[in-house]
Amino acid sequence: MDTVTDGLDDALRKAFTRPIPRGGGARMRFLVRQLKGTRAVAELLGISQRTVERYVRDQLKRPRPDLARRLEREVLKRWQPHVRARARQTAATTGGIVIDTRARFGYTAAPGSTDDARLRHLTVALPPEYAARLFEARDAGRTEEQLRDIAAEGLQEIYFKDHGRRAQGLLVEFTDVEHLEFDL
């Protein structure tokens, strides 16, 4: 199951202008430059300082799978921070964010209407204020449920209520997420 936090991170990664370094040595050298030393990288990755030095000098070339995953994750966290910040600022001020989801939507509405949850696939462009709220909530350490509530509110207002032009009393629940992806 996809999460909102991962989806927002993936959306920001799409803004990268260059690919991340390839290979264990290049990634290790990048982290050594970022963290200003082999000891800090060793502590971060949970390996010995000597192992880090071997990767930096290309004495070791291919990290084992678990180390490769940790190495890639840490490089992605630090790769092109200015590009990531600019993409986030654009989404939060002018561009907005596109949400593509396949999930079950439940409704609370006026009497006489159906409240059966339905599985729907939606692709909706949310305005910049929802993008800003999502990024701020993620940075503040909000839970996945709270992030989903913000996304559900955005879908409710833009898609289901059509910017307030219909379905005034409608409340939407966003559950059973099968797919969730964001794009800037």
Side-chain angles (χ1 to χ4, degrees), residues 101-177:
T101 186
R102 180 169 167 83
R104 189 167 303 280
F105 291 92
Y107 310 96
T108 304
S113 64
T114 180
D115 60 353
D116 291 338
R118 298 180 190 152
L119 191 63
R120 292 180 183 234
H121 181 222
L122 300 177
T123 302
V124 178
L126 298 179
E129 56 266 13
Y130 288 104
R133 285 181 57 198
L134 281 168
F135 284 122
E136 287 169 6
R138 185 198 62 173
D139 292 344
R142 299 286 191 254
T143 65
E144 189 67 24
E145 187 64 34
Q146 291 170 323
L147 291 171
R148 280 191 186 171
D149 289 344
I150 294 171
E153 183 183 334
L155 290 170
Q156 170 183 299
E157 293 301 317
I158 303 306
Y159 181 79
F160 293 102
K161 287 187 173 183
D162 194 22
H163 299 282
R165 289 191 281 267
R166 61 186 164 104
Q168 299 303 322
L170 182 72
L171 295 175
V172 175
E173 293 179 17
F174 189 35
T175 59
D176 298 337
V177 177

Side-chain angles (χ1 to χ4, degrees), residues 38-39 42 47-57 59-60:
T38 56
R39 181 174 295 175
I47 57 177
S48 71
Q49 185 175 354
R50 180 77 180 119
T51 302
V52 173
E53 292 166 357
R54 287 182 181 140
Y55 277 109
V56 168
R57 287 193 300 250
Q59 291 174 339
L60 294 175

Side-chain angles (χ1 to χ4, degrees), residues 7-19:
L8 292 172
D9 290 339
D10 289 343
L12 290 176
R13 280 187 210 119
K14 291 176 188 175
F16 288 163
T17 57
R18 296 179 315 182

